[in-house]
Amino acid sequence: MIEVVIAGAGPNGLMLACELALAGVRPVVLERLTAPDDKQRANGLVGQVVRLLDRRGLYERLTAPHTTPEPAPRFTFGAFPLDLSDLPDNPLYTLMVPQRRIESMLAERAAELGVEIRRGHEVTGLTQGEKSVTVELRERDPIEAEFVVGADGGRSAVRKLAGIAFPGVTTDDSVSRTAQVSVAPDAIGADGGLTVPGFGVIPPFQHLRTEHGLITWAPFPGRDPALSTVEWGQPAEGEASLDELRASARRVLGADIALSPPTGPGPHLMRRLFGGNTRIAERYRAGRVLLLGDAAHVHSAIGGPGLNLGLQDAVNLGWKLAAVVRGHAAEGLLDTYESERHPAARRVAMHTQAQSLLTRPGGDVTALRELFGELLDQPATRRHLAGLLSGADITYAMGPATGPLVGHWSPDLPGLPDLTRTARPLLLDPTGTLDPGPWSPHVDTATVPGLDTALLLRPDCYIAWQGTTNDGLHEALGTWFRPA
């Protein structure tokens, strides 16, 4: 019997597969598509997930050898420029790489770890038993697994088959249009901004709001730039086209942009979307079936929080599910996946809805933006938004057995990525005297002089305990990591 079946070979499913494999579980990934999807989707990573990839040794695979993440000095919130350059300990990190490259890297890493990916396998049915789940497949023999994880997107078949409701809000009054384009080289300034005669400059990688809609110019290095618009009350029919995008930009700006077809290698992005959804699964678990990523939550893409949320779901779930499969999970450990990650999804849903509202046209929104702009002059407001957008403000407040146990994201320490690549619990001991006791075979220990306090890190790099003596250490170890 297969230990874990993961439905969906997108970034979230592949990340979970890697985490399970690091913990000694060999999952099987089932993917409906027969080949990787080459459509352009997310354009990069935003938030704590950038440092998380670094701590698994994966950041260099997407950048260059011996590179480390750096905080972003600028970002955007609700079509406002967000200056973060004056913030001490700025928590917002970004990495501009296309989703298909992230998927390719994670698929390569999964293969290195012995994960089997079966393409052309579509899940059509689930039957749960006391100790297993039977997975029915289209035109293939059913398979049996101890657990099934649905990482199969917003229209998740696994979620529907498990009978998990997906409540939320659907809007249908907006149209967004996005395409890769080319423009005259002299229209692009030294900072990447796009000069539009009769309007001015569209800054790069910023949402620009007018009284008629929203426009975004994204001059990605090494590939064709992308232009996006969002309008309200402008229906569209037929196939999306460059002419349609050009006309939309004219309505939003009141001026023409000289757009031409992209010149670089394809496939090229040409997309039109109507409305949007903000939905969160009623529960993340039904017996031996769990949900992950977009299968558990969908929301506006504004600010790019989707992969940050989904990949952190995967790392939160991976070590807990592996502990259950291997038979040494603390009681109730798997239930903390939902109790910890469901609030994180609600927080992302909240701020993406707020940002979407701030971008709409209308005098009342303009008045709201005037007030909000005043608040952004305050460093405390910008720091709050940086924590919100990055997910650095998320804390896990309850242990599975012993009650309150505050869990914060671990600090930046020199050499920390080299210690966290195994995805094992890690005790950072400044004295070299702490004793994990019977948990010693299951916890890595490192002496780190200079720390003010010892830290016990969970495999997802959240702090499970801190102190200067053994007091409370064994209690925390027992809370999260029952000895085999």
Side-chain angles (χ1 to χ4, degrees):
M1 181 168 59
I2 298 170
E3 291 174 319
V4 178
V5 160
I6 302 169
N12 300 319
L14 292 171
M15 189 71 188
L16 176 62
C18 292
E19 292 292 299
L20 289 169
L22 286 172
V25 173
R26 291 294 178 266
V28 170
V29 180
L30 306 179
E31 172 54 53
R32 177 179 59 84
L33 300 177
T34 57
D37 190 353
D38 61 0
K39 293 179 182 177
Q40 182 61 31
R41 298 186 185 275
N43 291 306
L45 300 170
V46 177
Q48 295 294 86
V49 68
V50 177
R51 289 201 297 168
L52 179 64
L53 291 180
D54 185 46
R55 292 173 181 179
R56 292 293 188 262
L58 302 176
Y59 181 83
E60 292 183 354
R61 296 186 180 215
L62 295 170
T63 54
H66 312 299
T67 56
T68 56
E70 295 290 340
R74 291 170 299 279
F75 202 64
T76 181
F77 184 90
F80 284 93
L82 190 61
D83 183 5
L84 308 175
S85 60
D86 62 338
L87 297 184
D89 303 322
N90 175 10
L92 186 65
Y93 292 75
T94 60
L95 176 60
M96 294 297 103
V97 292
Q99 178 172 323
R100 59 192 178 203
R101 185 175 168 197
I102 298 169
E103 286 186 15
S104 176
M105 180 276 291
L106 290 173
E108 179 182 280
R109 178 57 174 154
E112 293 171 2
L113 294 170
V115 174
E116 181 184 358
I117 301 175
R118 301 179 184 177
R119 295 195 174 273
H121 285 61
E122 181 179 358
V123 176
T124 59
L126 297 174
T127 303
Q128 292 206 53
E130 183 179 347
K131 296 184 178 180
S132 67
V133 183
T134 299
V135 182
E136 298 173 18
L137 303 169
R138 187 176 304 281
E139 299 180 353
R140 297 180 183 274
D141 293 335
I143 57 179
E144 189 177 13
E146 291 184 45
F147 289 91
V148 172
V149 179
D152 49 344
R155 295 182 174 87
S156 171
V158 170
R159 184 187 66 240
K160 295 171 184 176
L161 291 167
I164 299 176
F166 204 37
V169 177
T170 296
T171 59
D172 58 3
D173 60 343
S174 65
V175 181
S176 66
R177 301 170 174 91
T178 305
Q180 287 178 286
V181 300
S182 63
V183 299
D186 59 3
I188 303 177
D191 66 348
L194 178 64
T195 299
V196 180
F199 174 81
V201 176
I202 304 175
F205 303 109
Q206 297 280 342
H207 297 104
L208 176 65
R209 175 195 177 263
T210 75
E211 287 294 346
H212 304 286
L214 192 71
I215 192 164
T216 307
W217 165 248
F220 297 107
R223 50 191 166 120
D224 290 300
L227 187 76
S228 301
T229 65
V230 182
E231 295 181 272
W232 287 262
Q234 289 288 342
E237 295 180 353
E239 292 188 6
S241 68
L242 188 60
D243 286 340
E244 178 190 6
L245 177 62
R246 191 182 292 114
S248 176
R250 184 187 309 117
R251 290 190 296 268
V252 171
L253 298 177
D256 287 309
I257 303 178
L259 299 178
S260 299
T263 58
H268 297 121
L269 177 62
M270 176 69 70
R271 182 174 64 206
R272 182 206 296 141
L273 298 174
F274 295 94
N277 286 288
T278 300
R279 297 183 176 277
I280 303 175
E282 190 173 59
R283 50 197 170 125
Y284 281 17
R285 179 185 179 190
R288 292 180 172 270
V289 178
L290 299 108
L291 301 179
L292 172 69
D294 287 356
H297 40 69
V298 294
H299 47 78
S300 168
I302 192 167
L307 284 176
N308 186 40
L309 184 62
L311 291 172
Q312 289 200 81
D313 285 349
V315 177
N316 185 289
L317 176 59
W319 66 276
K320 297 173 181 178
L321 183 55
V324 172
V325 169
R326 296 175 64 193
H328 56 82
E331 183 179 355
L333 179 64
L334 196 54
D335 292 330
T336 67
Y337 168 58
E338 178 178 327
S339 65
E340 291 182 345
R341 296 308 297 164
H342 199 277
R346 289 201 304 269
R347 197 149 179 79
V348 169
M350 175 272 290
H351 78 68
T352 54
Q353 286 179 304
Q355 289 189 74
S356 297
L357 179 61
L358 284 168
T359 66
R360 295 178 69 98
D364 52 348
V365 176
T366 299
L368 177 62
R369 289 180 62 84
E370 183 177 352
L371 174 59
F372 197 83
E374 294 177 7
L375 296 176
L376 286 179
D377 289 335
Q378 305 299 317
T381 301
R382 288 182 276 117
R383 180 164 184 80
H384 181 86
L385 292 178
L388 176 68
L389 293 169
S390 67
D393 62 346
I394 295 295
T395 59
Y396 300 148
M398 298 296 292
T402 60
L405 185 64
V406 176
H408 298 274
W409 181 266
S410 61
D412 287 313
L413 295 172
L416 186 60
D418 293 331
L419 299 172
T420 54
R421 295 189 178 190
T422 61
R424 284 167 53 87
L426 176 63
L427 178 62
L428 302 174
D429 180 5
T431 66
T433 61
L434 296 180
D435 178 18
W439 290 271
S440 295
H442 313 293
V443 178
D444 293 337
T445 302
T447 301
V448 186
L451 276 181
D452 294 334
T453 180
L455 299 173
L456 174 64
L457 302 188
R458 307 186 327 182
D460 57 1
C461 294
Y462 274 78
I463 297 173
W465 169 87
Q466 61 185 52
T468 56
T469 69
N470 279 323
D471 291 346
L473 174 59
H474 288 190
E475 181 182 11
L477 288 164
T479 295
W480 294 107
F481 318 111
R482 194 185 80 188

